[in-house]
Amino acid sequence: MSTNKLALIRYKTIDNCLRQKHRKWTLDELIEKVSEQLYELEGIHNGVSKRTIQADIQLMRSNKLGYNAPIIVTDRKYYSYEDPSYSISNSPISATDMEKMKEVVEVLKHLNGFAYFEEMSDIIARLEDNMLVSSGEHKQAIQMESNTLLKGLNWINILHRAIREEIPLLITYKSFKTDTPSDAVYFPYLLKEYRNRWFLICRHKKNNGIQTLALDRIHDIAEMAKSHFEPYDGVDFERYYADTIGVTKSIKDRGNKVLLHVESKNAPYVETKPLHNSQQILNRFDDGSIIIRIDVVLNFELEREILGFGECMKVLAPRYLVNRIKRRITQSMNQYSDSPSKEQKTNEEKQ
């Protein structure tokens, strides 16, 4: 049974009252105290009903939330704990809950780019430590991709806030094509992650086109006045990347019908892990190979995906992509030709 934030406030308030050994609590007094806490913490003015508190007490007594609180009534009106040392915060965690928490902790540990999780880092560490102590022997059950050398994660929280609150940003950025960083004002619209690398989808103040900035190339960020923010209505960002592998795309780009032949050994892999959501199997052959279709933008990430399969994947259409892959494979083969490379020539000259 799920519990919401207000319910948890009520349970904790009742628990705090019943733990006080020097005082006895009537139902009306508990209602009053819970109402005070709801107003103080959540600004709720209308208090709480008698029926709600009675239901809360019954739920705390039960095993539905794992509390099994020993709440008793004396003199037909005073509520207290039969065990003076009891508290719902001391309730043991079930084995099932323990396993679920372990997996949640493992996931949270990989989301520390956001300040929400940075602030929880010590809590996560204590949770993990307490769980290890409670469970005795720890066996890792989940392992996520992680790159400790990845740069730019420190900008995620600032950018996330700027997007949500529509704040223009002065960003100092150095692309791979320039030697020095440059400053410009951008309007941030979306944060996107691809292969463990983060990108900001934004618009330059002086241009109308959408741009993609890699977070690991950002040198500095400064917030500007909110009043100068300019929203972008030309794109539905929830669907903008629906026809794209990766993040390389312009507003004018549209998905193309791409036909690929996949040899037999890799066919099951491509079937169970589609290259894109649009993937369809058009033909199956007796040797186990298949022809698939995907409708995607023709970009660098698509080419890299295809080249990653090496000789096991062949582009059948469109002709432009066939020629692009041919050219890149030829250039790659030339790297291994018999003629000495520039590096080899340099080494020979040094000798």
Side-chain angles (χ1 to χ4, degrees), residues 2-33:
S2 62
T3 58
N4 58 33
K5 183 178 180 181
L6 297 182
L8 291 174
I9 292 174
R10 297 198 306 268
Y11 303 150
K12 188 172 181 180
T13 303
I14 295 172
D15 178 63
N16 288 337
C17 292
L18 301 185
R19 289 172 60 192
Q20 297 179 26
K21 302 174 184 178
H22 62 280
R23 178 173 175 178
K24 294 181 179 180
W25 294 85
T26 65
L27 186 60
D28 289 338
E29 289 171 336
L30 289 174
I31 293 171
E32 183 180 355
K33 190 65 176 178

Side-chain angles (χ1 to χ4, degrees), residues 201-318:
I201 315 305
C202 57
R203 182 169 69 83
H204 192 291
K205 183 180 180 180
K206 296 182 179 179
N207 298 325
N208 291 324
I210 297 298
Q211 290 185 244
T212 303
L213 304 183
L215 266 61
D216 54 23
R217 307 301 297 169
I218 293 177
H219 285 230
D220 197 14
I221 296 176
E223 294 184 356
M224 309 293 286
K226 278 188 178 184
S227 58
H228 294 155
F229 185 86
E230 296 179 13
Y232 193 81
D233 300 325
V235 167
D236 178 1
F237 286 104
E238 291 189 10
R239 303 179 58 185
Y240 183 61
Y241 287 101
D243 59 357
T244 309
I245 293 176
V247 296
T248 306
K249 181 184 180 181
S250 71
I251 296 175
K252 296 180 180 179
D253 287 333
R254 294 293 181 269
N256 288 257
K257 181 175 73 173
V258 177
L259 301 182
L260 304 167
H261 178 267
V262 187
E263 59 85 48
S264 58
K265 289 184 180 179
N266 279 264
Y269 176 83
V270 174
E271 281 194 66
T272 56
K273 190 178 184 298
L275 302 184
H276 187 260
N277 292 334
S278 63
Q279 180 172 304
Q280 304 173 50
I281 298 176
L282 301 184
N283 286 303
R284 294 181 184 274
F285 300 97
D286 293 338
D287 64 355
S289 64
I290 58 175
I291 291 179
I292 64 170
R293 168 181 172 172
I294 55 176
D295 296 280
V296 294
V297 169
L298 305 181
N299 62 7
F300 168 76
E301 290 92 332
L302 170 63
E303 293 179 18
R304 187 170 65 175
E305 190 75 32
I306 293 169
L307 290 169
F309 283 89
E311 75 283 0
C312 301
M313 182 175 286
K314 178 182 179 181
V315 181
L316 304 178

Side-chain angles (χ1 to χ4, degrees), residues 26-287:
T26 65
L27 186 60
D28 289 338
E29 289 171 336
L30 289 174
I31 293 171
E32 183 180 355
K33 190 65 176 178
V34 171
S35 297
E36 289 176 2
Q37 285 297 102
L38 289 175
Y39 174 73
E40 182 178 337
L41 299 176
E42 297 295 323
I44 297 175
H45 297 269
N46 55 356
V48 64
S49 69
K50 180 178 181 180
R51 180 177 296 181
T52 297
I53 297 301
Q54 287 176 324
D56 288 343
I57 291 172
Q58 285 301 108
L59 193 60
M60 291 171 67
R61 281 172 170 162
S62 72
N63 191 38
K64 289 183 178 179
L65 297 177
Y67 291 155
N68 295 304
I71 301 175
I72 58 173
V73 182
T74 56
D75 299 332
R76 294 187 178 183
K77 65 175 181 178
Y78 296 117
Y79 289 79
S80 63
Y81 283 141
E82 187 175 20
D83 179 0
S85 63
Y86 177 85
S87 171
I88 60 173
S89 60
N90 297 332
S91 298
I93 300 175
S94 67
T96 302
D97 290 339
M98 180 71 74
E99 289 304 314
K100 290 179 181 178
M101 288 178 68
K102 286 179 184 176
E103 294 193 8
V104 169
V105 166
E106 290 297 327
V107 173
L108 288 175
K109 284 163 63 180
H110 286 79
L111 294 174
N112 58 7
F114 286 94
Y116 310 113
F117 300 110
E118 286 179 359
E119 292 169 1
M120 289 181 64
S121 60
D122 63 325
I123 300 174
I124 294 170
R126 282 188 276 118
L127 262 176
E128 187 176 30
D129 183 63
N130 289 336
M131 286 188 295
L132 291 178
V133 172
S134 301
S135 61
E137 185 177 347
H138 174 61
K139 180 179 179 181
Q140 187 177 35
I142 180 172
Q143 189 174 80
M144 300 177 69
E145 184 177 349
S146 178
N147 184 351
T148 56
L149 300 179
L150 195 64
K151 298 179 180 179
L153 294 182
N154 55 303
W155 302 122
I156 288 181
N157 184 57
I158 297 172
L159 295 173
H160 183 249
R161 176 173 171 271
I163 292 169
R164 293 186 63 183
E165 299 185 16
E166 298 187 335
I167 303 172
L169 298 172
L170 176 64
I171 298 178
T172 304
Y173 190 78
K174 181 181 180 299
S175 71
F176 289 117
K177 298 177 182 179
T178 58
D179 295 328
T180 58
S182 60
D183 295 336
V185 175
Y186 294 91
F187 305 119
Y189 302 122
L190 180 71
L191 273 170
K192 183 170 175 60
E193 186 264 349
Y194 178 66
R195 289 193 170 180
N196 212 24
R197 194 179 179 209
W198 286 86
F199 301 86
L200 174 68
I201 315 305
C202 57
R203 182 169 69 83
H204 192 291
K205 183 180 180 180
K206 296 182 179 179
N207 298 325
N208 291 324
I210 297 298
Q211 290 185 244
T212 303
L213 304 183
L215 266 61
D216 54 23
R217 307 301 297 169
I218 293 177
H219 285 230
D220 197 14
I221 296 176
E223 294 184 356
M224 309 293 286
K226 278 188 178 184
S227 58
H228 294 155
F229 185 86
E230 296 179 13
Y232 193 81
D233 300 325
V235 167
D236 178 1
F237 286 104
E238 291 189 10
R239 303 179 58 185
Y240 183 61
Y241 287 101
D243 59 357
T244 309
I245 293 176
V247 296
T248 306
K249 181 184 180 181
S250 71
I251 296 175
K252 296 180 180 179
D253 287 333
R254 294 293 181 269
N256 288 257
K257 181 175 73 173
V258 177
L259 301 182
L260 304 167
H261 178 267
V262 187
E263 59 85 48
S264 58
K265 289 184 180 179
N266 279 264
Y269 176 83
V270 174
E271 281 194 66
T272 56
K273 190 178 184 298
L275 302 184
H276 187 260
N277 292 334
S278 63
Q279 180 172 304
Q280 304 173 50
I281 298 176
L282 301 184
N283 286 303
R284 294 181 184 274
F285 300 97
D286 293 338
D287 64 355

